[in-house]
Amino acid sequence: MSATRSRGGIRGREGIAGWLFITPVVVILGLFLLLPIIVAIWVSISDWSGKGSPLNASFIGASNYETLLVKPGLSQQDLGASLRNNLYYVILVVPIQTVLALFLATILNARRLKGKGFFRTAFYFPSVTSSVAIVTVFLFMFTGTGVVNQILSWFGIHGPNWFNDPRGVLRLILSGLHIVNTDNPPGWLTSHGFLGMSWYDWLSGPSVAMCALIILAVWTTGGTFMLMFLAALQDVPDDVVEAATVDGATRWQIFRSVTIPALRPTLFLVITLGLIGTWQVFDQIYLTGQGGPAKTTLTPAFLSYQAAFGDFKWGQGAAIAFILFAIIVVMTIIQRIVMRERKTLPRRRRFGTAAPAGTENTTMAASSTGGSR
Amino acid sequence: MSTAVATPPRAPLAPLTTGPRPPLAGRVIKIVIAYAVLILFALIYIYPFLIEIATSFKTGADATAHPLSLVPSTWTTQESFSQLEGVNFPRWFTNSVVVALFVTVGRVFFDSLAGYALARLHFMGRRAINGAIIAVMAVPGVVLLIPKYLVLVQLHMYDTYYGMIIPLLADAAGVFIMRQFFISIPVEVEEAARIDSAGTFRLFWSVVLPMARPAVITLTILSFQGSWNEFSYFLVARGSPQLNTLTTGVASLLSGQLGAGNQFPLKLAAALLMTIPTAVVFFVFQRYFIRGASAGAVKG
């Protein structure tokens, strides 16, 4: 308080300086972030056709949203397909990349390991390279006679024509097991649906092409998250691990009861960032098949771009963007609630098993350091 | 078992770091397995880049016939690097350099100015702007592609260098990183300089900014990498091929049907050349990257 008061004399001058310092950022973010959001809201509820100023367009209410969400038609079908594709993408990428990152970080964290720096660099490097460069390499590796299929052929597997294969993986597996006959799909699945797609189509699983994109995403972003876990692992208190070891806890028990609770804030961060990132997938979609083959790699982010810049349906494009935004917000909130419940549940259940007294403090310490970073 | 943690005397600290050791053979096996796993993954992570390099020196036919081989049947740049000029690659490279330079310098300057103001200076509306900056960070970038294009058109900045550079000159995450850093450094030095009645800008420029060197380097690297690799924004901010950066240029190679064959040596050579600057920056400033990974986490 006294510090503020002693500055009282120059406070006016400081106020001016403060505003001068902040003005460039405020102007740029205002013009190119805040204003666009406002314009986009207006475009999504007006009949602007792409010509002239959007301000001269007239209000049409939620009509664009209706076309996308309620009215049966191509727009609704495309949105449905894009949501299905992205949902499979998220469901597979987020857990796999989180587990992979944690797995690599745990191995790298071992004390007596040499060449840590080398491995860390190798795993992290894809994260700093351009998505365009990486997609170029993947397009080459995943051709019909490419690198991946050659390696698969060593094991007697005849690889698919990755980026051109629209077949749903779940459907392939089920028909391989003779559970589902793809020539005669079960009527109770085909006759009902949601967002213009039958349940049979919803349950097709990610297409083979989408699987290649899933592999790409895991491969690229795994390294970043590995680094976050690695940093967090250094904060796992050695004395608790020691004590647990002395008590004869196995590696796995230590990992479950000491390491994981200490990593919870990082785990939360990694999953949140994963969710936000995977729902926004755009570059890879644009660069590989532009939604193809057979719209099985279409995602809301790309659909929004395509509706606006390809079909000049600006209102619909903007509306899709806001639907996507809503999905991301809802997903993050759901994840937050789920993770919060987990935080209290195991503690109550953990009577007999190893429950180190330090766990709670560790979590708090880790969360406070994690937050400041 | 849970009470064991509290047992006070733990005198012999040295052997405790590993606890009761498993038998030697077991430990050796574990280490071998750990290395085997790491080397397998290192191969998965490095081999694609090696293939990228090797294929840049192959012919298209060779690349298709022996995609896995790291040694070209005949070393040639005839179908790769020699073709680059024909597709206007030098122009893309120049554009990328220009954009990345301006954006990096601008971001570092404006973000640290704003970060400093938000951390240290008292002015009306500081709290509101702080909140706004954090809120803006939460908005997913892809959602804004259409609206950004609309604003660029309205401001007559579409398809110009200005339009590609100015909107990127400040970013909320960078402001946030700088603000966090300025809060963490002690205020005493500034107070001393303030008594010397140095102007606020001079104080910032010659006292505060030099102290913030690690944060400035981190932000420089993040900004360079971000603008060099930026793709989706340049996709909507320009239309003419003359303004292609490396990302949009190479993207046009991927989708375009230029000439015969799949042209993989050409595409991979282009991808390789665009990776080199980031790779150099990465290997030189690695520790800043690693610091930035957690700081940039906010960026999403």
Side-chain angles (χ1 to χ4, degrees), chain B residues 79-261:
Chain B
E79 294 187 29
S80 53
F81 297 103
S82 309
Q83 304 286 323
L84 285 174
E85 196 155 353
V87 297
N88 221 358
F89 186 86
R91 174 85 193 206
W92 305 340
F93 202 95
T94 318
N95 284 344
S96 270
V97 169
V98 170
V99 169
L101 261 177
F102 278 103
V103 170
T104 305
V105 172
R107 263 194 199 178
V108 171
F109 183 63
F110 292 135
D111 287 357
S112 28
L113 266 182
Y116 179 70
L118 290 175
R120 283 284 199 271
L121 302 179
H122 300 261
F123 58 94
M124 283 263 291
R126 180 172 86 157
R127 205 176 269 177
I129 288 174
N130 226 338
I133 297 268
I134 290 168
V136 155
M137 274 200 302
V139 179
V142 175
V143 169
L144 292 173
L145 286 182
I146 299 171
K148 277 184 178 168
Y149 164 81
L150 296 177
V151 169
L152 283 180
V153 170
Q154 294 304 312
L155 295 175
H156 302 289
M157 284 167 72
Y158 175 70
D159 215 11
T160 65
Y161 280 110
Y162 303 110
M164 293 165 71
I165 292 169
I166 294 173
L168 300 182
L169 283 181
D171 74 317
V175 175
F176 186 75
I177 290 173
M178 291 314 289
R179 173 179 170 267
Q180 295 305 94
F181 186 84
F182 287 129
I183 286 176
S184 76
I185 57 178
V187 76
E188 281 76 22
V189 187
E190 287 160 66
E191 295 290 349
R194 200 184 287 275
I195 292 162
D196 293 345
S197 79
T200 314
F201 184 77
R202 249 199 67 202
L203 181 78
F204 166 77
W205 185 253
S206 43
V207 178
V208 177
L209 212 51
M211 279 199 296
R213 213 173 138 244
V216 168
I217 295 177
T218 302
L219 185 59
T220 308
I221 288 160
L222 288 178
S223 307
F224 171 76
Q225 184 218 354
S227 51
W228 187 266
N229 291 345
E230 179 60 57
F231 171 63
S232 53
Y233 179 66
F234 296 144
L235 199 60
V236 301
R238 45 140 286 279
S240 73
Q242 286 302 305
L243 287 179
N244 262 329
T245 60
L246 281 171
T247 49
T248 54
V250 175
S252 72
L253 275 188
L254 292 184
S255 58
Q257 308 292 321
L258 300 149

Side-chain angles (χ1 to χ4, degrees), chain A residues 7 14 19 33 36-37 48 54 100 111 114 121 128-130 140 219 242 247 273 280 287 301 314 317 325 355, chain B residues 2 4 16-17 35 41 44-45 122 124 136 140-142 144 147 149-150 154 191 225 229 264 274-275 286 297:
Chain A
R7 266 186 222 159
E14 198 179 298
W19 270 103
L33 262 166
I37 297 174
W48 188 62
L100 177 72
R111 280 196 199 86
K114 279 182 187 145
T121 306
V128 299
T129 34
S130 136
F140 177 66
W219 184 82
E242 274 162 31
D247 289 348
L273 290 176
Q280 289 193 69
L287 294 165
W314 298 96
F325 187 30
Chain B
S2 57
L16 265 178
T17 45
Y35 274 119
F41 274 96
I44 296 175
Y45 273 86
H122 300 261
M124 283 263 291
V136 155
V142 175
L144 292 173
Y149 164 81
L150 296 177
Q154 294 304 312
E191 295 290 349
Q225 184 218 354
N229 291 345
F264 272 120
M274 84 191 270
T275 311
Q286 216 190 119

Side-chain angles (χ1 to χ4, degrees), chain A residues 100-223:
Chain A
L100 177 72
L102 184 56
F103 174 71
L104 291 177
T106 317
I107 299 183
L108 272 184
N109 197 44
R111 280 196 199 86
R112 291 179 299 270
L113 205 70
K114 279 182 187 145
K116 273 183 204 181
F118 167 76
F119 290 115
R120 202 178 52 186
T121 306
F123 301 151
Y124 184 52
F125 186 63
S127 312
V128 299
T129 34
S130 136
S131 57
V132 180
I134 287 191
V135 167
T136 313
V137 178
F138 266 68
L139 281 174
F140 177 66
M141 293 203 306
F142 280 81
T143 57
T145 56
V147 176
V148 174
N149 281 357
Q150 288 221 342
I151 293 173
L152 286 178
S153 72
W154 297 346
F155 303 97
I157 301 167
H158 183 74
N161 199 348
W162 295 93
F163 284 114
N164 295 313
D165 195 334
R167 290 174 300 167
V169 166
L170 196 60
R171 209 179 274 173
L172 280 179
I173 293 172
L174 290 179
S175 72
L177 297 170
H178 300 290
I179 296 170
V180 171
N181 181 0
T182 40
D183 297 324
N184 183 22
W188 54 278
L189 278 177
T190 45
S191 52
H192 301 282
F194 175 61
L195 278 178
M197 285 211 314
S198 69
W199 290 117
Y200 182 66
D201 282 334
W202 275 98
L203 293 172
S204 68
S207 69
V208 176
M210 193 49 122
C211 286
L213 288 173
I214 288 169
I215 296 170
L216 188 155
V218 171
W219 184 82
T220 317
T221 39

